[in-house]
Amino acid sequence: MLAFVAAVRLRGPARVVAVALCVLLYVAEAGSIVNAHFEYYRTVGEVFGDGGPDESSLAQAERDVGEIPEQGQVVPLAIPGTRSGFAARTAQVYLPPIWFARARPQLPVVMLLHGTPGAPTDWTDGGLASVTADAWAVQHGGVAPVLVMPDVNGSLTGDSECVDSPRGNVETYLTVDVPATVGQALGTLPPGPAWVVAGLSEGGTCSIMLALRHPDLFATFGDFGGLVGPRVGETNADTADTVTDLFGGSQQAFLAHEPAALLKGGRFPRLGGWFQVGADDPQPYQAIQELVPLARAAGIATCLVVMPGEGHTFAVWSDAFRQALPFFAKRLRLPPEPAVNPVPCRE
C-alpha cells in the first residue's frame, strides 16, 4: 500500500510505470497467498499456464500411434458447447501408454473436475493426476483410464456449480457435449459403467450431484473436499443466494440438485462413491458427516478417507486421486484386474 501511495505522488510517465508495477506486485502477492493456501503450483511455469514437459498435442499423439511410450501424454482438447452453448476453456486430457497401441483398446474414462478459483490444468499441476496415472500404468502393462479434465466455470473465478443456470449450461455441457467430443476424438468407451466423475472442492460437489442425477452416465463418483451441495458464496448453510442466482428462485429446482435430497429420495445400488477430506477442512468435513451415511443408506458402495491435520489443499486432493484410483479401476473393470483396495469399503 505504501508503494502505491508513493507511486501516485509521482508525475508523468514515471507515475504510469510505477502504478503498473504496483498492480503487478499486488497480483503476484495475491497469487502467492492463494498458492500458499492451496499448496498449488509446483513450478513457476505452471503459474503462467505451462502444461509441463509431458504436454503434447492430439495431432502429435495420433502420429505417435504404434509406438507405446513408457509414460502417457497430456494433451489439450477443445470441447465445444455444441448443445449447451457453454463457452468453455480448453480441456486437458491424459492419454495412457496403451492408447498409443496400433490395435488401441476402447478405454474407460475418469472425468476430473476442478474447483473455483481454478482451471482444467489444476488436475495435472497441483493434482498430480498424470503422475498418478503413469504410476498405475507402469504397474499394469501400460493400461490406465483416459483422464478428461474439462472446464466447469468458463473463467478462473467463475462459479457455476455445474448446473444449467444464467452462468452457463454447464450440466448439459458435462453430460452431453463432453462425452460426445471425447468419444469421437479419443475413441473411448461410452458413458455408463465405463465412466467415473470425480473432483476437488467445487468439483467434488459437482461430481456427486452429477452421478446422482445421471446414474446412467456415471457408475462411480469421487467427492474430494466438496460441500454438502451447490453453493455460491462463502457460507455452506446459507442457500438463499444459490437458489436465487442459479435456480431463478425455485426451491424445487434447487432440491433437484441437492445431494442430500436426492439420496433421501432414491436408491442407487449400482453407484460407487469415494469421499476424501481433510479433518481440518470444516465445511467439507461437515458435509461428509451428512452425505456418507445417506449414501450408504441409499445402497451406494462407499469409501471414506479422512486425513488428520489436513485442510482444503492439493495435498488432500492429489492424495485422494491416488488412493481412489484402484477403487475406480476395479469398478471400471479395467484390465488387468486390479488388486482389492486396502481401504475398507462397503461394496
Side-chain angles (χ1 to χ4, degrees):
M1 179 61 72
L2 291 176
F4 181 79
V5 172
V8 169
R9 290 176 177 172
L10 296 174
R11 297 184 180 280
R15 177 180 178 179
V16 174
V17 172
V19 170
L21 287 173
C22 286
V23 171
L24 287 173
L25 287 171
Y26 174 80
V27 171
E29 177 64 18
S32 69
I33 292 171
V34 172
N35 191 31
H37 177 69
F38 292 112
E39 299 177 8
Y40 187 28
Y41 299 109
R42 293 171 292 159
T43 68
V44 173
E46 289 170 358
V47 176
F48 297 97
D50 183 354
D54 59 348
E55 182 169 312
S56 179
S57 70
L58 185 56
Q60 179 61 52
E62 291 284 5
R63 288 193 291 269
D64 292 340
V65 167
E67 298 182 11
I68 300 179
E70 293 183 2
Q71 295 181 317
Q73 290 187 22
V74 176
V75 302
L77 180 66
I79 303 179
T82 305
R83 178 75 66 83
S84 65
F86 178 57
R89 292 170 292 177
T90 301
Q92 299 291 302
V93 172
Y94 166 83
L95 304 172
I98 197 65
W99 187 89
F100 295 88
R102 193 166 301 280
R104 178 191 304 158
Q106 281 191 299
L107 294 169
V109 171
V110 176
M111 187 164 72
L112 294 172
L113 309 180
H114 62 84
T116 183
T121 52
D122 288 359
W123 268 112
T124 53
D125 294 342
L128 303 177
S130 58
V131 175
T132 296
D134 272 341
W136 175 270
V138 166
Q139 297 176 353
H140 296 84
V143 177
V146 169
L147 307 183
V148 177
M149 297 155 275
D151 182 25
V152 303
N153 286 325
S155 67
L156 179 67
T157 57
D159 186 3
S160 75
E161 298 299 305
C162 302
V163 303
D164 288 351
S165 77
R167 301 185 180 193
N169 294 326
V170 181
E171 185 172 1
T172 299
Y173 179 72
L174 295 173
T175 59
V176 178
D177 293 329
V178 171
T181 295
V182 167
Q184 181 179 19
L186 306 178
T188 60
L189 287 166
W195 277 55
V196 171
V197 59
L200 61 88
S201 192
E202 175 201 6
T205 307
C206 292
S207 295
I208 184 172
M209 180 272 290
L210 290 170
L212 294 175
R213 284 178 53 81
H214 304 276
D216 56 325
L217 301 182
F218 307 105
T220 310
F221 66 85
D223 180 353
F224 309 150
L227 295 179
V228 73
R231 298 292 186 274
V232 295
E234 297 296 328
T235 306
N236 187 24
D238 183 8
T239 63
D241 288 344
T242 302
V243 174
T244 299
D245 293 353
L246 298 183
F247 301 105
S250 171
Q251 184 71 16
Q252 183 178 2
F254 167 73
L255 291 175
H257 293 78
E258 183 78 342
L262 293 168
L263 289 167
K264 291 175 183 177
R267 293 278 300 171
F268 304 89
R270 296 183 179 180
L271 270 182
W274 186 285
F275 295 85
Q276 189 153 339
V277 68
D280 293 345
D281 193 4
Q283 292 183 358
Y285 183 76
Q286 178 184 352
I288 61 109
Q289 301 302 307
E290 178 178 355
L291 293 177
V292 168
L294 291 175
R296 288 176 172 158
I300 297 174
T302 304
C303 296
L304 170 62
V305 176
V306 177
M307 298 179 66
E310 297 289 350
H312 203 66
T313 72
F314 276 87
V316 173
W317 305 324
S318 59
D319 183 78
F321 181 61
R322 182 184 61 80
Q323 291 207 56
L325 184 54
F327 176 74
F328 294 162
K330 181 182 177 184
R331 292 187 55 82
L332 292 170
R333 296 181 174 86
L334 189 65
E337 186 70 17
V340 176
N341 194 284
V343 177
C345 300
R346 179 171 176 173
E347 295 286 355

